[in-house]
Amino acid sequence: MARRYRSEPIEVVAAVDGAPAVFRWRGRRYAVRVVIASWVEAVPWWAGGSPDTRAGGQCHAPRQAWRVEAAPRTGSPGVYDLYRDPGDRERSWVLERVFD
């Protein structure tokens, strides 16, 4: 089962390749143990994406996604979906979902 957090802002320290290595969420620090998957997806205009005029307004700026296994200093590891929107400098990293 997954819980959605509707793009809750998080602080991330990225590795050299750009993947998240450590993130802070709700005052807790999580160390990424493994990157399970990564992908790029377009953000549709109705979800806050900006139109790409080169594609007739249909395609939108992509955002990079990572599904990671991470653990706090004390506690059990979990699986988290983290997103980075390179076009949004204020909230560049967000937590989208946590899997139980």
Side-chain angles (χ1 to χ4, degrees):
M1 187 165 123
R3 289 185 217 151
R4 292 195 59 146
Y5 286 90
R6 304 280 182 198
S7 302
E8 191 168 318
I10 58 173
E11 297 173 29
V12 172
V13 175
V16 174
D17 64 358
V22 175
F23 65 94
R24 183 171 300 279
W25 175 50
R26 295 185 175 177
R28 292 185 80 183
R29 181 185 182 277
Y30 294 80
V32 174
R33 293 179 164 189
V34 65
V35 173
I36 298 168
S38 70
W39 63 94
V40 175
E41 61 185 38
V43 180
W45 64 267
W46 61 85
S50 58
D52 183 345
T53 55
R54 294 169 295 161
Q58 297 303 310
C59 294
H60 307 284
R63 68 179 185 169
Q64 180 71 45
W66 285 271
R67 180 164 292 157
V68 300
E69 178 183 297
R73 288 186 177 141
T74 58
S76 300
V79 176
Y80 303 85
D81 280 356
L82 312 177
Y83 288 84
R84 182 169 184 265
D85 181 355
D88 186 351
R89 299 209 188 275
E90 284 184 29
R91 290 185 347 149
S92 63
W93 287 91
V94 295
L95 174 72
E96 185 72 23
R97 160 179 322 110
V98 176
F99 295 89
D100 293 338

